[in-house]
Amino acid sequence: MGNIVVKSFDARRAMLEGMRIAVGVVIDTFGPRGKVFAYNNGTNTILSKDGVTALKKIKLSDELKDMGVKFVTEASDKANYHNGDGSSTTAILTYAMCKAMNGLIDQGFDINLIRTCITEIRDFIFNLLSNFKCDIDDEKQIHDIAFISANGDEEMANLITQAFTSIGDKGLVSYADSQSRYGESSLVLSKGCEIGKGYISSKCVNSANDQCILEDVYVAIFRDPVEDLEHFKMFIQLMHGHNLLVIAPDYSDEVAAFYTNTAAKDNNVFIRTPGYSRESIQRENEDLAVIFNTKIIGEDIQLEEMSYDKCGHAESIIATKNSVVVTEPSTDKNRKKDYVDTLQGLIDHQDPTHALSSDEITNIKSRIAKLEGGIATIYVGALSNQELSERKDRVDDALNAVRNALNGGFVVGGGTTLYRIAEGDEYSKLLENTTSDKKVVYDALMQAIKMPLKILVHSASCSYEKVAIELHEDKNFGFNARTGKVENLIEQGIVDPYNIVKNAVLYATNMTTQFVSVADAIISDVKNLSIEPLDEVIAPGRGVFGELM
């Protein structure tokens, strides 16, 4: 057993074939007329319309072709990681550019020239793209973006719009499985804040459903576990006559017994600080200190210095065994603003050598959302696991699209903006001041960025040449794949988040640069055990893919 070295022409050709097969599946799901694909997750058949999910499920028996799949998957996954959407557009652009550049290499064009041209065209597109950007300024635009990204699901678009308009762009909108047996979806808004730990003893319960409901509540936050009972008793006696919520990492057996036998009956609620480590507990304490505008006992102030007027306060709390819901905490607006700005700065000004992971970013956003007092959960309903999986994918895309548009604005959708850049006067001016070889490379790349529009036009069984003529009207006009007509896409709500389009170009051009650099491929000489390769059975190059690409 050894390895085989496959030289440049054959290596790139095989990798391109792998890309073609993989992106063919993505194209089948692309746009409002796209369909779903099915895959087996080991226990169930799952349906999805998500581009990067499709790419990750494809593994071809031919090792060289599979390298091509991994190329396009890497580009799409990067775009999806940073934006949560746009993976299909990225995959289409990546393949179109790689195919175009490979053709030029076969014609004898210098690879270094091609790499330079890719970078120059990328920067040219970025400079012009910002000219097409608009900011979201009304509720309808949020709905339109959600509606398009959710593939025309009106119910989900309405719930997403309601969620974002209720909590603002810095709140956290999440989704979960609905427990409705009739497949109904719903939206739950959390007002105030929720602490993810409940009472340590049910002896405090004073209402139905095992709840402890208290009003006019004072709040004490401890940095360290409460272990000295005698010292702690003095504080409890000082607070006698006031409803009290105590938050500490843990309690000694003596303190817990005191609470169960005595303190719980006096309208006191003891809970443990949420967190799985000393660092996470410390972060939670800092957040809670800002929410309640108080000091942390054992860090900012000593227990013997505490009194009820130095505690935090809440209008009311509802404590259960799992959580505490706080209404109208005594938050100081200026202190909260400064603290939120600091947390947001951790995301906005990351050190490139120590970039935050997606989990860390999500955690910080969750903390900000709790501080801002806005958490909206969309409970996605469905009548089967297959429908639920597919619908949740669309909700995920729609949520990410709306977040991106709120943060970075939007451009006219349907592939129209990239088409207008490729056909615009600015590009004509660029060609006037360049060499003949560069013109050829530029033109090939500009033809590639038209591919999303071409695919949408073809999916609606329309003539691309006819559509291209009609597109020379108002810049807000574009092709509506749902109706098969050229119309005002802004009025129709067909828009794409600016950041998603920009990053699709960014990662497609980056992966194309890597692809043209391939000189050789090293693969195993062990043949696949199948009697015949199955890759072509999966995607025989038919339909829109075969005709356009």
Side-chain angles (χ1 to χ4, degrees), residues 335-460:
R335 180 180 178 182
K336 184 186 76 171
K337 181 181 182 303
D338 292 342
Y339 188 70
V340 168
D341 289 345
T342 300
L343 291 178
Q344 188 65 44
L346 297 177
I347 298 175
D348 296 339
H349 307 294
Q350 297 183 47
D351 183 345
T353 61
H354 298 89
L356 297 173
S357 69
S358 59
D359 289 341
E360 289 172 325
I361 292 173
T362 300
N363 177 263
I364 292 173
K365 287 183 177 180
S366 298
R367 294 170 65 190
I368 291 174
K370 184 164 68 174
L371 288 158
E372 297 284 12
I375 300 176
T377 304
I378 297 171
Y379 290 93
V380 182
L383 295 176
S384 65
N385 288 334
Q386 287 80 3
E387 181 190 6
L388 179 64
S389 174
E390 191 270 335
R391 206 174 191 198
K392 283 169 65 179
D393 277 344
R394 289 191 277 118
V395 170
D396 185 66
D397 284 348
L399 289 175
N400 287 312
V402 171
R403 289 189 191 104
N404 276 285
L406 286 169
N407 292 328
F410 63 88
V411 297
V412 177
T416 304
T417 300
L418 292 180
Y419 174 86
R420 291 197 181 281
I421 289 175
E423 291 289 328
D425 293 338
E426 291 83 357
Y427 178 57
S428 298
K429 294 176 182 176
L430 177 68
L431 293 180
E432 292 175 358
N433 302 308
T434 190
T435 65
S436 58
D437 282 350
K438 277 193 171 184
K439 286 181 181 178
V440 175
V441 182
Y442 286 172
D443 282 341
L445 289 167
M446 285 305 193
Q447 287 300 315
I449 70 169
K450 298 177 186 177
M451 196 54 62
L453 174 63
K454 289 183 178 180
I455 292 170
L456 290 172
V457 171
H458 193 279
S459 70

Side-chain angles (χ1 to χ4, degrees), residues 260-306:
T260 301
N261 297 326
T262 305
K265 301 172 185 177
D266 295 329
N267 291 338
N268 296 312
V269 175
F270 290 9
I271 69 171
R272 292 182 174 87
T273 312
Y276 52 86
S277 66
R278 188 173 185 84
E279 290 76 16
S280 62
I281 289 173
Q282 176 65 19
R283 290 195 298 268
E284 186 73 23
N285 274 340
E286 292 170 357
D287 294 349
L288 292 172
V290 172
I291 290 172
F292 293 109
N293 191 30
T294 187
K295 297 180 179 180
I296 301 173
I297 299 171
E299 182 173 321
D300 305 316
I301 191 171
Q302 297 305 309
L303 182 58
E304 55 269 20
E305 301 176 282
M306 285 295 294

